Amino acid sequence: MPCEHLQELFALCEKHDLHIASQDAIKVVCRQCQEQEVCPSSLTDGDAVIEMPRPKADEPSDRPADSED
């Protein structure tokens, strides 16, 4: 059973629908408790990385344009 810190991390990931993608098993380490756990399968998507949609060239970006001083 994971330590309380890793349980909090896993609960936070589930609450915010955060998932981790990797072809290999992911180990999460708590340096406070010196414990490690393999990331639960409920939080992993295997190697299926979800691609975020990119803004089209004609759509404004959220990033501010570089300004010359």
Side-chain angles (χ1 to χ4, degrees), residues 2 6 9 13 17 21-23 27 33 40 45 52 61-62:
L6 294 178
L9 174 64
C13 290
D17 198 23
S22 175
Q23 295 177 349
K27 291 184 181 178
C33 298
D45 288 336
M52 299 301 291
S61 174
D62 289 340

Side-chain angles (χ1 to χ4, degrees), residues 1-53:
M1 178 137 184
C3 71
E4 65 180 276
H5 306 109
L6 294 178
Q7 289 178 19
E8 288 177 20
L9 174 64
F10 299 152
L12 182 71
C13 290
E14 287 182 5
K15 177 181 177 183
H16 294 284
D17 198 23
L18 301 173
H19 289 255
I20 300 167
S22 175
Q23 295 177 349
D24 299 320
I26 299 169
K27 291 184 181 178
V28 183
V29 178
C30 176
R31 292 185 177 175
Q32 295 177 35
C33 298
Q34 300 300 312
E35 289 192 30
Q36 68 178 7
E37 282 286 321
V38 173
C39 190
S41 59
S42 62
L43 298 180
T44 60
D45 288 336
D47 60 354
V49 177
I50 298 172
E51 299 245 351
M52 299 301 291

